[in-house]
Amino acid sequence: MTATLAPAPPEPDAPPPEEPVARRGLPRWAWALIVIGVWVVVYAFTKGQDTLVLPGREHTDLHDTLTGFRDDVLASRDSNPIIQLTYAVGERFVAVVEWVQTLISVPDFPRPVPQVGWLGVTAVAAWVGLALAGWRIALLVAASFVSFGFFGYWSDAMDLLIVTFVAVAVSVLVGMPLAIWLGTTRNRYVLAAINTTLDILQTMPTFVYLLPIVLFVGIGPSGAVACTLLYSLPPIIRIAGHGIRGVSTTTLEATDSAGQTRWQRLLKVQLPMARRTIVVGLNQTIMAALAMATLAAYVNGPGLGKPVLAALQSRDVGGGFVPGMLIVVMAVMLDRTTTAASEAPEKRIRDGADPKIRRIVLGVTGALALVAVYLSREQIDLARFPENDVRRTVADGVNDLVDWFTDTFGGLTGGFKDVISYGLLNPLESLLAESPWYVVAVAILALSAVLGGVRALLPTVICLAGLWYFDLWHDAMVTLNMTLVGTILVMALALVLGVWMARRPRVDLVLRPVLDAGQTIPPFVYLIPILGLFEATRFTAIVAGVIYAAPVAIKLVADGIKGVSPATLEASRATGSTTWQEITKVQLPMARGSLVLAANQGLLYVLSMAVIGGMVGAGALGYDVVLGFSRSEEWGKGAAAGISIVLLGILIDRICRAAAHRDPVTHDPSKRPWWRAASI
């Protein structure tokens, strides 16, 4: 054994040792500006050359090859074992969905109504809310279910819940074993493989899931459940796995010393101690499933997404408002129920609730719920919600309000649109889309090296090569431009409101519930009011993306600034710093890890909406995907567009992750927030 000698203490009068002087160079943002400056100069001499534009409905040999692949897959449905397996799984999904539909949402012929009518379904749902989370949640659930019927969308609302919960049930059955594996394995290759797969699935915008799912599973309930399942699977795996992995090592060592087996340790220690985090993962899985199940209306999935899609296609803002708001009601109900259910056991212990009284209450209310089920089976009036004209009245009122607003403030909204379009959107699009493709590629590579270092170069090279290979470079640059402009607007909002929330507790108290509610709204719904204000243009998709991405970015910025040490702030105030200096010189620099993370999330959220915006005039890759859905001969181009969107998302995500990794604040894993620690 080799002994290590401690250094001799310094002499009492000796001066402190000199610290090495760090070599200082230009900051990263300065190098980024230099790269952009050189790019602009080169663009001025090469504008319009080698832009790889593919006009209108034209497609390339690669696109035709992809379309041929689709045709071959469809032709081999009766002979290809893989296709037979995927379609068989889809048929099982259809069988489950249709059985539950006849139970609660559609007539079960020869019955003119479902087996259980609205009164029974509402009573049972309210009782489940009472059992899981208490009276307040029971009342919220009951009011939500009544609103579905009152506004004339009972069947659609139940269908959306059915698709959501079938997908969530399968997600939990598949995801929890994978989460346990992720949380207990020490094999770094397994960890890397699982995390990389989850990164790709979470980077893909929702719309991109639809094309391959339709090909291998089909349309209707089968496609809706399959794409919802895939999209909702990563949160339960990642968050639950992180919770299991986060159980204290001291606790695990104590269980080992007690002689527990691995399964005993998992079932009696790790899973119970990670329960809160697992429920958070379940909450996020439910919200992701609801968002995807809504969008699955584009592949003929049942639910409230269908009337929203029909309203978007006919530009009927009022007609889309009512089902859109019911989707929001459903999202808030599910979010609050799962959150309250995770806190309910501890709350009952703190309040000293008598378990006997609780059992009596649940027994009595459960009996009343069964009576309601019986009545709804026997009485037509209690099985079918009474019809009324409230839906059309509200829709007409919303249309009148939108018309009044656009007539009154059309100049203001048009002016705002023109300022952003001519001042930011058009110049940046010209730089990205009108520069030679190789100039853009070199510039993006240089920016990735400056911002993310060597860590970002390899994924950037791969993604840029993929964008070039799939023959939609120009459309990809237009989509990237809309994403960057939307992210700039998101970060402007995040900086202003995030700093305000961090420095003013009362502002945080008011804004945080609004932001929480904003995060529960599925992205599809954001297009409805924005379409009425800005009509069907690319600007509509950008504004909808800004509103969709702003809540998460604002909260990340606010939480990052709140995390700055109070001692550091006191030291800056002692030196006479003004409020502006304190914010710009202390808080923002020390919270730059959170700012990078906010920009990362903002980029991905805005990219997702830019794709969905293809349905309302956004053009570029979003339009190509929509075209691939609507015309079979364009399937290959739509598939290439979907892959290009995934590559764009990975490109953006990896550069931001590498930039955050270089940040000394986020380099320490103990200082990362759980959603970053779980994914790196």
Side-chain angles (χ1 to χ4, degrees):
M1 181 179 294
T2 304
T4 302
L5 298 178
E11 296 294 332
D13 297 330
E18 294 184 3
E19 294 187 5
V21 179
R23 289 184 295 178
R24 302 183 62 183
L26 287 175
R28 280 185 281 172
W29 62 265
W31 280 110
L33 288 179
I34 291 172
V35 171
I36 294 172
V38 174
W39 182 5
V40 170
V41 172
V42 175
Y43 157 80
F45 292 97
T46 59
K47 179 180 178 181
Q49 300 176 18
D50 300 323
T51 58
L52 303 183
V53 178
L54 193 63
R57 299 277 297 278
E58 290 188 16
H59 39 84
T60 65
D61 292 341
L62 175 65
H63 302 159
D64 291 337
T65 300
L66 291 173
T67 302
F69 167 75
R70 167 189 172 274
D71 295 339
D72 292 341
V73 169
L74 293 178
S76 65
R77 282 176 53 180
D78 297 330
S79 58
N80 190 316
I82 296 177
I83 305 301
Q84 290 176 336
L85 175 62
T86 56
Y87 268 82
V89 172
E91 289 171 0
R92 298 293 183 273
F93 289 154
V94 172
V96 172
V97 169
E98 288 182 348
W99 178 78
V100 182
Q101 280 182 313
T102 59
L103 187 65
I104 66 172
S105 73
V106 299
D108 186 16
F109 297 108
R111 282 176 63 89
V113 291
Q115 289 292 333
V116 181
W118 73 266
L119 180 64
V121 174
T122 302
V124 171
W127 182 84
V128 171
L130 175 65
L132 291 177
W135 282 105
R136 292 183 178 179
I137 295 300
L139 292 175
L140 172 64
V141 171
S144 300
F145 273 70
V146 169
S147 70
F148 301 149
F150 182 74
F151 286 101
Y153 284 104
W154 175 263
S155 182
D156 288 326
M158 292 304 100
D159 286 345
L160 180 57
L161 279 174
I162 290 167
V163 171
T164 299
F165 278 107
V166 169
V168 168
V170 180
S171 294
V172 172
L173 289 175
V174 175
M176 276 307 298
L178 292 175
I180 292 171
W181 191 19
L182 181 66
T184 56
T185 185
R186 294 294 180 264
N187 188 316
R188 62 190 182 95
Y189 297 107
V190 171
L191 288 172
I194 294 177
N195 279 323
T196 300
T197 303
L198 296 178
D199 287 345
I200 293 173
L201 289 175
Q202 290 190 295
T203 302
M204 289 172 61
T206 52
F207 210 67
V208 179
Y209 280 85
L210 301 180
L211 273 174
I213 290 299
V214 169
L215 178 60
F216 287 98
V217 181
I219 63 173
S222 58
V225 173
C227 63
T228 303
L229 163 64
L230 279 180
Y231 186 66
S232 62
L233 191 58
I236 188 72
I237 298 174
R238 172 158 280 165
I239 299 175
H242 172 71
I244 295 169
R245 181 174 289 275
V247 174
S248 168
T249 54
T250 304
T251 304
L252 297 180
E253 290 171 358
T255 62
D256 290 340
S257 64
Q260 287 189 342
T261 66
R262 186 176 65 176
W263 282 107
Q264 289 175 325
R265 179 175 64 186
L266 175 66
L267 297 176
K268 295 183 178 181
V269 179
Q270 289 175 295
L271 290 179
M273 293 190 72
R275 180 179 58 83
R276 292 279 306 264
T277 306
I278 292 172
V279 173
V280 170
L282 178 62
N283 173 278
Q284 294 302 302
T285 290
I286 292 174
M287 301 312 295
L290 180 62
M292 193 67 206
T294 303
L295 189 60
Y298 214 87
V299 293
N300 201 32
L304 285 169
K306 276 191 171 181
V308 174
L309 179 60
L312 286 174
Q313 292 173 337
S314 62
R315 313 284 173 85
D316 181 9
V317 177
F321 176 82
V322 177
M325 287 304 97
L326 292 179
I327 292 171
V328 174
V329 169
M330 187 180 295
V332 172
M333 176 190 73
L334 294 175
D335 178 64
R336 295 295 181 265
T337 301
T338 52
T339 302
S342 69
E343 301 170 350
E346 296 177 4
K347 186 176 183 298
R348 286 196 292 268
I349 293 173
R350 289 197 308 268
D351 296 343
D354 189 344
K356 292 183 180 179
I357 295 177
R358 181 171 182 271
R359 284 195 291 268
I360 293 172
V361 170
L362 290 178
V364 172
T365 53
L368 293 175
L370 291 178
V371 170
V373 170
Y374 173 78
L375 292 175
S376 72
R377 284 181 54 81
E378 298 298 322
Q379 301 291 328
I380 293 293
D381 292 340
L382 299 179
R384 180 188 295 138
F385 211 96
E387 296 183 3
N388 58 65
D389 295 328
V390 175
R391 175 173 71 183
R392 193 64 256 172
T393 301
V394 174
D396 291 340
V398 170
N399 282 329
D400 292 340
L401 179 61
V402 170
D403 291 340
W404 170 82
F405 188 91
T406 52
D407 291 340
T408 306
F409 301 101
L412 183 61
T413 56
F416 175 69
K417 175 181 172 182
D418 290 341
V419 167
I420 299 299
S421 296
Y422 293 107
L424 187 60
L425 189 59
N426 292 346
L428 186 55
E429 180 175 315
S430 181
L431 181 64
L432 279 166
E434 299 301 323
S435 295
W437 71 269
Y438 43 84
V439 172
V440 179
V442 170
I444 293 176
L445 276 172
L447 288 172
S448 70
V450 167
L451 298 174
V454 178
R455 183 187 179 95
L457 281 178
L458 180 59
T460 302
V461 169
I462 294 174
C463 291
L464 290 175
L467 292 174
W468 173 84
Y469 176 76
F470 284 101
D471 292 330
L472 289 172
W473 179 274
H474 185 269
D475 284 356
M477 293 304 104
V478 174
T479 299
L480 177 60
N481 169 62
M482 291 190 291
T483 304
L484 292 176
V485 171
T487 305
I488 291 171
L489 298 177
V490 166
M491 289 307 296
L493 280 174
L495 288 173
V496 173
L497 296 180
V499 170
W500 196 18
M501 287 173 62
R503 295 180 63 87
R504 296 289 184 271
R506 290 184 180 178
V507 175
D508 185 274
L509 189 65
V510 172
L511 286 183
R512 194 166 288 271
V514 176
L515 299 177
D516 289 341
Q519 283 189 267
T520 64
I521 300 175
F524 204 32
V525 179
Y526 281 100
L527 287 175
I528 298 170
I530 305 303
L531 181 64
L533 297 179
F534 297 102
E535 299 182 342
T537 65
R538 59 180 178 170
F539 194 76
T540 301
I542 292 174
V543 175
V546 170
I547 299 174
Y548 176 52
V552 65
I554 292 169
K555 289 169 68 174
L556 286 170
V557 171
D559 292 342
I561 292 176
K562 278 184 179 179
V564 176
S565 169
T568 304
L569 294 179
E570 289 297 329
S572 71
R573 290 165 187 163
T575 61
S577 296
T578 64
T579 300
W580 177 253
Q581 290 173 328
E582 184 178 306
I583 293 171
T584 58
K585 303 293 186 182
V586 180
Q587 289 180 304
L588 290 178
M590 295 196 70
R592 60 188 178 274
S594 295
L595 300 186
V596 172
L597 180 59
N600 169 273
Q601 295 300 296
L603 278 162
L604 294 177
Y605 276 54
V606 173
L607 175 63
S608 178
M609 285 301 295
V611 176
I612 296 175
M615 292 183 290
V616 292
L621 293 178
Y623 172 77
D624 295 332
V625 175
V626 173
L627 190 64
F629 274 117
S630 58
R631 296 183 177 274
S632 60
E633 68 273 14
E634 302 288 350
W635 192 93
K637 188 173 183 179
I643 297 170
S644 298
I645 291 164
V646 175
L647 292 172
L648 268 184
I650 295 173
L651 171 71
I652 292 167
D653 182 63
R654 290 306 175 184
I655 292 176
C656 288
R657 283 173 183 262
H661 184 81
R662 292 184 66 186
D663 191 302
V665 175
T666 57
H667 187 70
D668 182 0
S670 66
K671 296 180 180 178
R672 294 185 193 132
W674 61 265
W675 59 86
R676 288 285 297 149
S679 61
I680 295 181

